[in-house]
Structures are given as C-alpha cells and as structure tokens.
C-alpha cells in the first residue's frame, strides 16, 4: 500500500521541472569534473616532461662542471680519488671533523713537531706550527681555518722511539689515518679534508 502511495509522488518529482533542472545541473557538473581531470592529467604529463628535461640539464651541467671544479678545488679532487697511504703518510679517505693528532703512547720522551698547511690549487699556506709532547694524552687539536679544504700535517721527531701517530675525528673519536713512527722513519705527513664544527 505504501509503495502504491509513493509511486505517484516519485512520478510527480520525475516530471517536476525543478528536478529536471537539478539533473541537468548535475550533468553539467560531471562534465566540468571530467574536463578538470583531463586538464590535471595533461598538466601531470607536462610536469613529468619538464622534470625529465631538468634532469638532462643537470646531468649535462654536472658533466661539464666536474673537471673544472676538480681542477679548481683540490679537496674535491682528493675526495674523488685519494692516494693510497704509505708507512709515513696517513691518508684520510673521508672528511675529518675537528681533527686531532694523538699518540698511542702518551708517556714517551720525544717531542713531535707538527706543521699544518692548507693546500689550494695554486699554492699552500702554513697555518700553524704545533708540538705534541709526551705528556699530552689528549693530543693536539688542529686549528683549521676553512671548512672543506684540503690540509696536510707534516710531522717530525728526532728521538727515535717507536709509537703510532693517529689522525682522529674529533666528532666521532674514530681513527681517520695512522702512521708508525720509528727510528728509521722520523718524519711524514697526514693528508685530509677537514671541517670545523664552530
């Protein structure tokens, strides 16, 4: 009985001019939404093409800039292909933060002299001359003047004791490079790219 009563009401609404207008408006909105979806899809394709073009340009610039940047910046060249370490030359293949020179035998009699130099493309500059005595268990902090530069620490001693000199990362405490000091090997160097934290 209820169905019979509702049928005429539904038929009346279906033929009502206002419901026809609503249906027409909904069809128009659906068309606009479909148009917006198509526009978004086209914009996505354009953005994807633009991203690919930018990546191609980035690669092209990187290929062109790398040899020049490497030639102009010894630190980049060093990190790209650090030489092998030797008995007298310690080479840090990773960046060293707040570098320190320490000895594995803090109770020794000899004095190790250290000369810190910054190496640039056209010249090198001496930054400090330091001493590492037998009573300096904590070692010597190296006073870097620039972040990301290539540094060389030349070391020498004359007493002839046998011990190891260690270039240590001050941030992590890890050993960055190490050399063995002996009577026959009383001078050498450490080479590294260094950063200050202050």
């Amino acid at each position: 009985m209820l169905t019979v009563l509702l049928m005429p009401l539904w038929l009346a609404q279906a033929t009502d001019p206002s419901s026809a207008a609503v249906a027409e408006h909904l069809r128009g909105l659906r068309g606009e939404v479909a148009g917006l979806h198509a526009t978004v899809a086209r914009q996505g394709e354009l953005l994807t093409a633009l991203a690919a073009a930018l990546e191609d340009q980035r690669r092209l610039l990187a290929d062109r800039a790398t040899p020049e940047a490497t030639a102009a910046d010894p630190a980049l060249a060093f990190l790209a292909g650090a030489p092998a370490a030797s008995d007298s030359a310690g080479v840090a293949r990773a960046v060293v933060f707040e570098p320190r020179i320490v000895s594995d035998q803090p109770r020794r009699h000899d004095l190790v002299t250290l000369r810190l130099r910054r190496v640039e493309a056209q010249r090198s500059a001496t930054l400090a001359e330091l001493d590492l005595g037998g009573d300096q268990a904590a070692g010597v902090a190296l006073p870097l003047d620039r972040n990301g530069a290539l540094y060389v620490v030349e070391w020498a001693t004359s007493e002839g004791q046998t011990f190891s000199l260690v270039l240590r990362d001050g941030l992590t405490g890890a050993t960055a490079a190490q050399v063995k000091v002996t009577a026959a090997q009383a001078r050498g160097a450490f080479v590294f790219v260094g950063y200050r934290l202050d």
Side-chain angles (χ1 to χ4, degrees):
M1 180 75 175
L2 183 59
T3 305
V4 173
L5 289 174
L6 290 177
M7 286 283 283
L9 181 61
W10 177 79
L11 285 173
Q13 288 177 347
T15 58
D16 184 19
S18 64
S19 62
V22 168
E24 182 64 30
H25 183 67
L26 284 176
R27 274 193 294 276
L29 288 175
R30 285 189 187 118
E32 287 181 30
V33 168
L36 288 173
H37 279 296
T39 300
V40 167
R42 282 193 303 272
Q43 294 295 330
E45 291 169 3
L46 288 173
L47 286 173
T48 301
L50 180 60
L54 285 173
E55 180 61 21
D56 290 343
Q57 288 297 319
R58 186 197 65 76
R59 283 190 197 133
L60 181 64
L61 289 173
D63 290 343
R64 288 183 182 169
T66 299
E68 295 166 6
T70 300
D73 189 353
L76 288 177
F78 177 81
L79 290 174
S86 69
D87 291 341
S88 62
V91 177
R93 296 185 174 275
V95 170
V96 182
F97 293 93
E98 295 290 333
R100 302 183 71 78
I101 301 288
V102 299
S103 168
D104 69 342
Q105 291 183 7
R107 296 180 187 271
R108 57 181 205 289
H109 301 292
D110 60 345
L111 181 71
V112 179
T113 58
L114 307 168
R115 184 176 358 152
L116 174 67
R117 292 188 299 128
R118 184 184 69 247
V119 178
E120 297 175 352
Q122 303 300 325
R123 65 184 187 95
S124 67
T126 299
L127 303 177
E129 294 193 8
L130 309 161
D131 292 327
L132 176 62
D135 58 345
Q136 292 173 287
V140 175
L142 300 176
L144 305 185
D145 66 335
R146 186 178 302 168
N147 279 339
L150 179 63
Y151 292 94
V152 174
V153 178
E154 297 168 336
W155 58 268
T157 185
S158 59
E159 294 293 325
Q161 289 187 318
T162 299
F163 59 94
S164 291
L165 277 180
V166 180
L167 173 64
R168 187 161 288 160
D169 187 299
L171 178 64
T172 64
T175 297
Q178 185 170 347
V179 294
K180 193 77 168 173
V181 180
T182 64
Q185 186 170 283
R187 61 182 53 248
F190 287 104
V191 186
F192 64 96
V193 174
Y195 277 82
R196 299 175 303 178
L197 293 179
D198 57 350

